[in-house]
Amino acid sequence: MSEIIKVSPLKKISGELAVPGDKSISHRAAILAGLSDGTCFVENFLPSEDCVNTLRAMGQLSVRYEVEKGTEDHPIDLTIHGCSGELRAPSAELDCGNSGTGMRLLAGVLAAQKFDSVLVGDASLSSRPMDRIIKPLAEMGAQFETKGIKSGCAPLHITGGKLKSITYEMPMASAQVKSAILLAGMFAPDKTTVIQPAINRDHTERLLNSFGVRVKTEGNHISIYGGQKVRSRDLVVPGDISSAAFWIVAAACVPGSRLLIKNVGLNPTRTALLNVLIRMGALIKDHVQHEDGGEPRGNIEIIGRQLKGTEIKPGEVPNLIDEVPILAVAGALAEGKMVIRNAAELRVKETDRIDTTTENLRLMGADVEEFEDGMVITGGQTLKGTVLDSHGDHRIAMAFAIAGLLAGDGNTTIKNAACVATSYPTFSQHLKEICNR
Ligand code: S3P
């Protein structure tokens, strides 16, 4: 994977594209298939560093798997032999790399095991808050010690054991926190309920149900009863709409563009980006073709137009949280103001994405006002190509590679771009294909 991405402005984006498997679903597939009572064939797993780390962690916990397509480092199709919930103590630390999802979801499972374990991550992950999962999981009975440089951060030492069921009101709309509690709740004796302040991605609920573990959602209350068996099943992971987002925005912003994204996940808790772009004036049609594992999927057609700025509604934020950097690029190119507020969660992602997005947009000549919980972009400027830094954040690297394509003049270089491998290992190849059409 190249350390640097170089792009030149492109007149329009056209053709067809299929993006790799969904990151959120791949993490959960590795965990649930690994806990299941039989053999699961998982197709179109995301062969990225984040998901491979979760798969390897399950391997260290005694789950066996074989790579059927792809390589050990980039598995695409897998046979996973579930351990019927009987994980075994790992002989070493479990390395989650850059992945908050991997660490927080695994912590939920490990909180309920009879053995101790240690979760570690890279410098970025070791500075992200883990107290948000420690609090509820400790309330359920697990013990945690954080040994990081920053308080409340990884390395995370977990002493698991018998848990009790709880009702927990989450202070933030986080799917990772909700999932950690639901996964732990599977091992607790009674009913565990998570109350979420707003709807956020519901892959854990959908996949648990499709693996035979009943999860009930009533408004913002999500409940699971312990003692249920995870039933093995085969699963095809849909393409990741958060990866598709880069191309969707690129095509939507440029009049004359026409793009078809095939076989992408269309779970409504992930498609807020499409609604916002349509409100901005884009011509976008999504067609759900079928469901697998409770996850709808299909195609998205995008026709480019001159967009207008809009205000993101508070309830939309959790359902487009990973798309904010690329949406901010769309805002800079749109006419009028783009208001992105109520998004303070962005400050605790792989980088502080309010800072890194603002910095890079300004370097390209955009007019951005930064707030504690977001940004306001006054659009209509022509972006200028320049040298930018991803700061090691995959979504910043890709969002600004696209900004470089959409720049009015000048070439753009993204430094520190190897991080795209955490979620979209074929990004540079797809970029080349799009540019050569
Ligand atoms: C994810 C949830 C989101 C998202 C992340 C993946 C998941 O994080 O930003 O990329 O798979 O559950 P939060 O739950 O912290 O909002």
Side-chain angles (χ1 to χ4, degrees):
M1 184 61 58
S2 133
E3 287 285 343
I4 278 176
I5 297 177
K6 285 189 172 177
V7 288
S8 310
L10 200 63
K11 292 227 158 42
K12 60 183 179 193
I13 317 284
S14 59
E16 285 184 17
L17 196 73
V19 292
D22 186 273
K23 178 160 78 67
S24 293
I25 297 176
S26 296
H27 281 294
R28 288 157 173 84
I31 293 173
L32 292 180
L35 289 171
S36 77
D37 62 354
T39 298
C40 308
F41 185 56
V42 179
E43 250 180 89
N44 201 35
F45 186 82
L46 173 61
S48 77
E49 285 170 6
D50 272 15
C51 298
V52 171
N53 281 326
T54 295
L55 185 66
R56 289 197 173 133
M58 292 305 286
Q60 283 178 265
L61 294 163
S62 87
V63 171
R64 284 189 307 112
Y65 59 89
E66 287 109 36
V67 177
E68 309 289 355
K69 184 175 158 197
T71 62
E72 282 300 317
D73 286 343
H74 295 97
I76 299 171
D77 294 349
L78 289 153
T79 300
I80 301 180
H81 304 279
C83 68
S84 297
E86 297 291 325
L87 297 173
R88 285 207 291 269
S91 55
E93 296 172 336
L94 305 171
D95 188 355
C96 301
N98 190 242
S99 178
T101 308
M103 185 170 282
R104 295 188 178 118
L105 269 58
L106 285 168
V109 173
L110 294 169
Q113 307 307 315
K114 290 186 213 97
F115 50 79
D116 292 5
S117 39
V118 182
L119 293 170
V120 298
D122 67 7
S124 153
L125 183 53
S126 304
S127 70
R128 295 178 64 188
M130 289 300 139
D131 39 0
R132 52 181 59 198
I133 52 154
I134 293 175
K135 187 168 181 285
L137 296 175
E139 216 178 286
M140 293 177 86
Q143 287 173 40
F144 291 87
E145 227 182 306
T146 51
K147 299 212 166 156
I149 302 169
K150 232 170 118 181
S151 116
C153 294
L156 196 56
H157 290 238
I158 307 175
T159 303
K162 264 205 164 49
L163 300 183
K164 68 173 201 287
S165 304
I166 59 165
T167 293
Y168 187 74
E169 197 162 344
M170 276 198 302
M172 70 293 282
S174 163
Q176 294 177 2
V177 175
K178 170 177 63 179
S179 304
I181 300 168
L182 293 177
L183 289 170
M186 262 199 319
F187 297 92
D190 304 310
K191 181 178 164 189
T192 295
T193 301
V194 185
I195 305 167
Q196 53 187 8
I199 290 173
N200 55 78
R201 68 187 69 191
D202 62 0
H203 303 298
T204 301
E205 298 90 302
R206 286 173 187 251
L207 286 177
L208 276 168
N209 276 315
S210 76
F211 275 85
V213 179
R214 209 156 159 260
V215 177
K216 209 163 158 208
T217 302
E218 289 168 303
N220 278 331
H221 289 55
I222 302 130
S223 302
I224 187 167
Y225 278 97
Q228 302 185 69
K229 273 215 161 80
V230 184
R231 303 284 180 200
S232 62
R233 56 157 296 149
D234 297 340
L235 182 73
V236 183
V237 178
D240 195 326
I241 191 162
S242 297
S243 299
F246 301 108
W247 312 115
I248 295 172
V249 166
C253 285
V254 184
S257 294
R258 195 181 201 102
L259 186 69
L260 177 67
I261 311 265
K262 292 174 98 174
N263 185 33
V264 65
L266 292 172
N267 177 322
T269 61
R270 296 283 299 281
T271 52
L273 168 79
L274 305 182
N275 305 336
V276 171
L277 288 171
I278 290 169
R279 209 158 68 228
M280 293 173 79
L283 272 177
I284 297 181
K285 283 192 212 145
D286 55 323
H287 314 272
V288 172
Q289 285 168 331
H290 66 286
E291 276 199 22
D292 185 14
E295 292 287 351
R297 61 205 63 204
N299 296 342
I300 305 176
E301 269 180 81
I302 308 108
I303 294 178
R305 299 222 291 210
Q306 173 60 50
L307 302 184
K308 298 183 293 292
T310 187
E311 183 167 345
I312 310 296
K313 299 172 199 153
E316 285 175 327
V317 172
N319 299 323
L320 51 67
I321 193 74
D322 291 343
E323 288 70 74
V324 169
I326 189 63
L327 200 49
V329 171
L333 293 161
E335 285 164 357
K337 273 198 192 322
M338 177 91 182
V339 181
I340 306 173
R341 303 290 302 266
N342 304 290
E345 275 294 299
L346 289 171
R347 296 221 179 259
V348 290
K349 295 294 178 190
E350 286 82 331
T351 55
D352 175 338
R353 287 186 178 154
I354 296 178
D355 256 7
T356 46
T357 302
T358 303
E359 174 192 306
N360 281 334
L361 278 178
R362 284 183 180 151
L363 286 168
M364 295 188 84
D367 176 352
V368 191
E369 195 179 350
E370 181 174 348
F371 295 89
E372 196 40 47
D373 67 345
M375 62 195 89
V376 173
I377 305 151
T378 304
Q381 268 97 7
T382 305
L383 296 182
K384 286 183 279 297
T386 185
V387 178
L388 303 171
D389 196 332
S390 78
H391 298 284
D393 184 331
H394 55 130
R395 299 207 194 278
I396 298 296
M398 294 185 277
F400 284 92
I402 300 298
L405 286 186
L406 304 179
D409 68 285
N411 297 333
T412 296
T413 300
I414 314 290
K415 295 190 296 181
N416 240 325
C419 54
V420 302
T422 65
S423 70
Y424 194 166
T426 47
F427 178 77
S428 295
Q429 190 185 316
H430 287 176
L431 180 66
K432 222 179 259 163
E433 281 170 29
I434 291 272
C435 292
N436 290 336
R437 272 179 196 153

